[in-house]
Amino acid sequence: MNESNAAGVLDQAKGKLKQAFGEATNDQTLANEGVADQVKGHVKEAWGNTKDTAADLKHSHEAHSASAETEADTHNLRDDIAHAAESTKDSINRGLNNLKRNAND
């Protein structure tokens, strides 16, 4: 676990507490801040996982010979990580758009 992972987990926990306290006291602003902290924490944790994966790929690549097959595999893994990040962003944006649409109904 790297620093980004740890910070993400802490933000998520802090956010859950804020949300729960805000809901218990009917403080919508605090509850909303709690959810925002949770989102921030999830993003930090995902960023930490991305950094760990990149480091693992680098070490794996260095451990293997610099054959064309290894380079192609590493390239494909990088593309997979970038695609996963883009898919996650798109999924979040779809969810946010649905929330906006439902709030306006």
Side-chain angles (χ1 to χ4, degrees):
M1 179 180 277
N2 62 42
E3 189 177 309
S4 296
N5 293 98
V9 170
L10 288 174
D11 282 343
Q12 290 170 51
K14 177 180 75 172
K16 287 178 183 179
L17 288 172
K18 271 184 166 178
Q19 180 185 1
F21 188 76
E23 289 173 350
T25 60
N26 202 25
D27 184 341
Q28 299 306 312
T29 301
L30 186 61
N32 292 343
E33 287 175 9
V35 171
D37 286 344
Q38 290 176 64
V39 170
K40 181 173 68 171
H42 288 297
V43 170
K44 283 182 181 179
E45 186 177 4
W47 175 243
N49 292 339
T50 301
K51 291 192 302 186
D52 284 345
T53 301
D56 290 346
L57 290 174
K58 179 181 177 191
H59 291 103
S60 174
H61 181 69
E62 290 170 352
H64 291 93
S65 66
S67 69
E69 183 178 317
T70 302
E71 289 179 22
D73 289 344
T74 303
H75 173 77
N76 290 338
L77 287 171
R78 279 193 301 265
D79 283 350
D80 289 346
I81 291 169
H83 184 262
E86 184 176 8
S87 294
T88 301
K89 175 199 72 173
D90 292 343
S91 178
I92 290 169
N93 286 335
R94 280 192 304 275
L96 293 173
N97 287 334
N98 286 336
L99 286 173
K100 289 177 190 176
R101 209 172 314 123
N102 291 338
N104 292 328
D105 288 344

